[in-house]
Amino acid sequence: MTAPGSGPGPRPPGRSPHDTAPDTSAMTGRRIAGYLLEDEVGRGGMAVVYRAQDLRLGRTVAVKLLAPELARNNTFRQRFAHESRVAAAIDHPHIVPVFEAGEAEGVLYIAMRYVAGRDLRALLDRDGPLPLEAACRIAAQMASALDAAHAHGLVHRDVKPGNILVAEGTDPDRPEHVYLTDFGLTKKSLSPTGFTTAGQFVGTLDYVAPEQISGRPVDGRCDVYALACVVHETLTGFPPFRRDEDLALLWAHQYDPPPALSELRPDLPRAADAVLARALAKAPEERYETCRAFVAALREAGRAGAPAGPAPRTPTRVDAPANLPPPPPRWAAPVFRAGA
């Protein structure tokens, strides 16, 4: 016996009778692999997230349904299954636990802990820029999660405010408990580039590292870059690079120096400028080796008004070659798939 609304229902217009993958955009009330989907709680370019009831264990969970076309890609399905297992094996207080991942009715799904609260994107939209202390508290929890993932051979590649969940903390010293999510769509650090197929790769333009854009090999330092972009946004209200056109934004990540924090927030110490500049270096080898090292340097800059010990080295600016042609037209740009 199936739950109410879990039957196949009418086929959407234009769908082939051989295309059995359901439309993930309207799944409320359906049953997928033992989960009764309730309210939609999130949506992105590759997935939709629902609050759901685990009918076997009687608990509330979050279920992410990936876009049906992804399930038809054998390479993606194999990578998804492998990396979901690796992500589920990471036991960390700031990583959303993955309970199960699989395929049902032609849809790839991930079942994970349901976190009551809001994501960092909603928090910033409500409260605006945060004090340095609060930004460092959130960043430290994210840094711990990312470094743990890197130790397991995973690179997130899509660190952004929408993938950072902020729940109520345990006491006044820890007013928020932060979770990093979306590890089911990561890629192994040994993958030669950030690309999947047809020039697509997981990432969000505001936070993507230069090496991801150019298709160079990536490691955990691309997450250092993305985390620095997020920290910049928590402190100023916007990412370090803002451009009207996507191609101009890609160009800025690869060649333009980031703005100084102290010019945008005069209440912040000038020492923080050098810390962010190093974390946002164009070359991975000029960044901090770990996410925690970056946050530790930022905290020290906030406490002392200057970095402890030797000042962080200022990264070499990557200038566009003098004979570099203008940015390519929009049709020639790589296709980005934003994570949910």
Side-chain angles (χ1 to χ4, degrees):
M1 182 174 180
T2 59
S6 62
R11 183 176 295 112
R15 293 285 297 279
S16 164
H18 303 292
D19 186 358
T20 58
D23 179 5
T24 56
S25 65
M27 296 287 287
T28 300
R30 295 284 299 272
R31 178 174 173 173
I32 292 288
Y35 301 99
L36 180 62
L37 306 181
E38 298 179 337
D39 297 332
E40 180 181 317
V41 295
R43 173 179 293 271
M46 296 181 72
V48 182
V49 182
Y50 291 88
R51 187 180 70 240
Q53 284 299 314
D54 183 339
L55 299 176
R56 292 162 293 189
L57 298 178
R59 61 182 173 181
T60 300
V61 299
V63 174
K64 169 173 284 193
L65 304 181
L66 276 65
E69 59 267 23
L70 296 177
R72 295 191 284 269
N73 183 316
N74 282 334
T75 300
F76 185 92
R77 288 170 58 219
Q78 293 170 7
R79 180 171 60 81
F80 168 81
H82 171 73
E83 295 186 8
S84 294
R85 287 194 297 270
V86 175
I90 303 176
D91 183 13
H92 191 277
H94 298 295
I95 294 177
V96 174
V98 174
F99 299 142
E100 183 183 10
E103 183 176 354
E105 301 183 40
V107 172
L108 297 172
Y109 70 90
I110 308 170
M112 49 197 160
R113 175 182 292 172
Y114 176 73
V115 177
R118 55 173 55 86
D119 60 35
L120 183 59
R121 168 80 281 132
L123 181 67
L124 294 175
D125 289 343
R126 186 194 70 178
D127 297 343
L130 303 179
L132 180 59
E133 181 182 359
C136 285
R137 279 199 314 267
I138 291 173
Q141 295 176 62
M142 287 302 91
S144 178
L146 288 166
D147 286 350
H150 300 160
H152 282 77
L154 284 176
V155 180
H156 193 285
R157 302 187 189 223
D158 196 21
V159 180
K160 61 182 180 181
N163 284 337
I164 299 171
L165 307 180
V166 184
E168 185 176 352
T170 56
D171 56 61
D173 292 332
R174 288 176 288 270
E176 63 276 308
H177 188 96
V178 181
Y179 294 92
L180 184 63
T181 188
D182 228 1
F183 272 99
L185 297 179
T186 60
K187 298 184 180 177
K188 292 291 289 181
S189 61
L190 296 180
S191 174
T193 73
F195 288 85
T196 55
T197 59
Q200 299 176 349
F201 66 94
V202 175
T204 305
L205 268 62
D206 284 330
Y207 317 96
V208 66
E211 61 269 28
Q212 289 177 270
I213 296 170
S214 61
R216 288 175 285 156
V218 303
D219 57 24
R221 291 171 295 186
C222 82
D223 287 341
V224 173
Y225 184 96
L227 180 61
C229 290
V230 171
V231 168
H232 186 283
E233 187 166 1
T234 63
L235 291 171
T236 67
F238 45 82
F241 301 108
R242 293 182 295 169
R243 302 293 187 270
D244 292 333
E245 298 290 333
D246 289 348
L247 285 178
L249 181 55
L250 296 175
W251 185 272
H253 278 297
Q254 294 184 88
Y255 298 112
D256 293 348
L261 276 176
S262 61
E263 294 180 3
L264 302 169
R265 281 273 305 267
D267 60 308
L268 296 177
R270 289 187 178 275
D273 295 345
V275 175
L276 260 291
R278 179 175 173 183
L280 292 171
K282 307 304 181 185
E285 61 272 15
E286 294 188 355
R287 298 177 202 145
Y288 294 95
E289 285 293 322
T290 66
C291 294
R292 279 181 288 190
F294 157 53
V295 177
L298 185 61
R299 274 182 159 162
E300 184 62 27
R303 283 194 298 262
R313 65 178 183 268
T314 301
T316 304
R317 175 174 175 171
V318 178
D319 292 318
N323 60 348
L324 197 69
R330 179 179 295 278
W331 58 263
V335 178
F336 281 73
R337 297 295 301 270

